[in-house]
Amino acid sequence: MKAPTALIGGRVDRTSFDHQVRLSVVALDEDEGYRVDAELVLETEFLLRDTAGEWHELDSGTGSKLAPVLDLFGQSITAVDVRNHGSLTIYFDGGSGLWIGPHAQFESWHLSGLGVSAVIVGPGGESEWER
């Protein structure tokens, strides 16, 4: 599997929370409409660096503690990488960054939608990542 680099240039168009954190990412081509219309779902603990450079240890399903994620709304993705059995790193144009690794017992994150290959990082992670 390859890192979901199609997300680069996409903008966080929606954030939502329940027992998961969901980021909708949209990228448009001027002539063709949607290039990417995808949803990234975070299901376990993750790290978020805000625009001031402060790191937040966050966990899905924790209500108002997830407030720093709201600042990702409107930011564009500048880089995406996946390593170490499914550890996802995303950098944003506002200076924010997000990191989520595989979980030993649970699905940690998944990605689906138009313009991206579906990815599910299950318990223990994945071993077939390419750069």
Side-chain angles (χ1 to χ4, degrees):
M1 284 186 241
K2 292 187 177 188
T5 56
L7 294 174
I8 296 172
R11 181 175 54 93
V12 177
D13 197 43
R14 180 174 51 90
T15 60
S16 63
F17 312 102
D18 49 28
H19 293 287
Q20 303 167 327
V21 172
R22 297 171 182 270
L23 301 177
S24 293
V25 178
V26 173
L28 297 171
D29 280 335
E30 290 182 25
D31 297 332
E32 299 179 25
Y34 286 102
R35 175 177 61 81
V36 171
D37 186 4
E39 182 176 63
L40 173 64
V41 180
L42 310 176
E43 298 190 40
T44 59
E45 302 87 9
F46 62 98
L47 296 174
L48 177 72
R49 185 185 65 225
D50 63 26
T51 56
E54 183 179 344
W55 284 95
H56 303 271
E57 293 181 28
L58 302 171
D59 196 0
S60 300
T62 57
S64 63
K65 292 178 183 177
L66 293 166
V69 176
L70 294 171
D71 288 334
L72 294 178
F73 178 76
Q75 290 193 42
S76 295
I77 295 173
T78 59
V80 176
D81 194 17
V82 180
R83 296 178 186 233
N84 301 330
H85 302 286
S87 294
L88 173 67
T89 305
I90 300 178
Y91 296 101
F92 299 88
D93 64 344
S96 296
L98 184 146
W99 180 89
I100 184 168
H103 191 279
Q105 296 176 312
F106 306 109
E107 182 178 301
S108 61
W109 64 274
H110 66 269
L111 176 69
S112 62
L114 175 73
V116 296
S117 296
V119 176
I120 297 174
V121 176
E126 306 298 323
S127 60
E128 302 283 329
W129 289 102
E130 299 175 19
R131 289 177 132 221

